Amino acid sequence: MTYDLLIGDRSYSSWSLRGWLLFAKFNVDVTIHDTRFYIPQFQEDLKPFAPARTVPVMRLPEGGVVMDSLGMAETLAERHPDKGYWPENTQARALARGMVAEMHSGYGALRSACPMNLRQSFIDFPVSEEVAADLARIEQLWAAARNLATDGPWLFGQYSIADAFFAPVAARMAGYGLPIGEASKPYVVETISDPVFLEWRRRGLQDAPQSNYDLPYSAGKWPGPD
């Protein structure tokens, strides 16, 4: 028996990307169920995962539903302590938990202004003061994580829940051409070049685009690998 995971549009659903990475990057078996936003079937697809109202949502092998990506992350870390979901170092683990919680509840300006879109980039996106403030806070936390990092390219060296949660942020930075410091750019490149991320994006490009995510900016080529 494996977990079941319901996800939304791969090109646009940042929370679904996080949920999927929690399985794909940690080699935990899962059966994927797909749905799409803005279609009548969405509510029907959710019914087997009641009482969830959003995606991602997972069902445990023995039954029981875990809603919300943060609940999923904590559940998987608890059930698979050998997978390294959180950093081993106490200080790093404490910071990682705080960063994930802040990502889960914060950065409203960035989320609203820059919906995740893995199909294209935007070359003339205007950055507001509020978005710039969110970016500055994120870069501050990334720098703090790297100060505690072990060997490896990720926030705390080895891949952790923090990287799964910040993956859509890195994709936004790249796709919208957001202004970030030189110290942050290698992490963004690492994220959007990761083979697991590329597989997610490739599968999303097989779906039809959603016009709800069209924005009035000039479109450019996606900055990461094809």
Side-chain angles (χ1 to χ4, degrees):
M1 298 178 65
T2 65
Y3 295 88
D4 290 280
L5 178 69
L6 179 66
I7 60 172
D9 297 78
R10 286 179 171 85
S11 293
Y12 310 110
S13 180
S14 58
W15 291 108
S16 292
L17 170 57
R18 293 182 178 101
W20 183 79
L21 287 171
L22 292 173
F23 288 94
K25 289 295 293 184
F26 296 94
N27 297 313
V28 175
D29 290 337
V30 64
T31 299
I32 301 296
H33 305 265
D34 295 277
T35 188
R36 303 207 72 194
F37 300 138
Y38 309 111
I39 61 171
Q41 185 64 29
F42 179 75
Q43 294 300 326
E44 291 298 314
D45 292 338
L46 271 173
K47 284 183 178 180
F49 294 86
R53 298 186 302 171
T54 60
V55 291
V57 54
M58 77 175 183
R59 185 166 50 238
L60 303 177
E62 66 273 23
V65 167
V66 181
M67 303 170 290
D68 186 274
S69 57
L70 184 54
M72 291 169 49
E74 291 288 11
T75 300
L76 290 169
E78 178 182 73
R79 292 167 65 95
H80 303 280
D82 60 319
K83 294 292 186 179
Y85 276 100
W86 293 115
E88 289 186 10
N89 176 271
T90 302
Q91 285 183 279
R93 186 165 62 250
L95 178 58
R97 286 183 183 274
M99 289 173 62
V100 166
E102 188 168 319
M103 178 68 256
H104 184 263
S105 61
Y107 313 127
L110 177 63
R111 294 171 192 254
S112 297
C114 306
M116 191 179 81
N117 188 334
L118 302 183
R119 306 186 72 92
Q120 62 186 26
S121 66
F122 301 99
I123 60 178
D124 57 355
F125 176 76
V127 178
S128 68
E129 291 183 6
E130 293 78 10
V131 170
D134 279 352
L135 293 172
R137 173 59 177 170
I138 291 167
E139 290 196 84
Q140 178 188 18
L141 293 176
W142 285 5
R146 293 302 300 166
N147 284 337
L148 295 174
T150 58
D151 291 338
W154 303 105
L155 288 175
F156 293 93
Q158 300 304 307
Y159 199 93
S160 73
I161 292 172
D163 297 293
F165 270 64
F166 279 97
V169 171
R172 286 177 168 100
M173 290 174 171
Y176 286 85
L178 300 179
I180 58 174
E182 291 299 320
S184 298
K185 290 179 181 178
Y187 178 72
V188 172
V189 172
E190 187 75 29
T191 299
I192 66 173
S193 302
D194 181 62
V196 176
F197 178 90
L198 292 177
E199 173 62 13
W200 170 272
R201 182 171 181 268
R202 183 190 68 79
R203 293 174 66 181
L205 292 176
Q206 296 173 2
D207 297 328
Q210 291 264 22
S211 61
N212 303 72
Y213 293 89
D214 291 344
L215 294 174
Y217 310 118
S218 300
K221 183 179 182 296
W222 175 254
D226 292 331

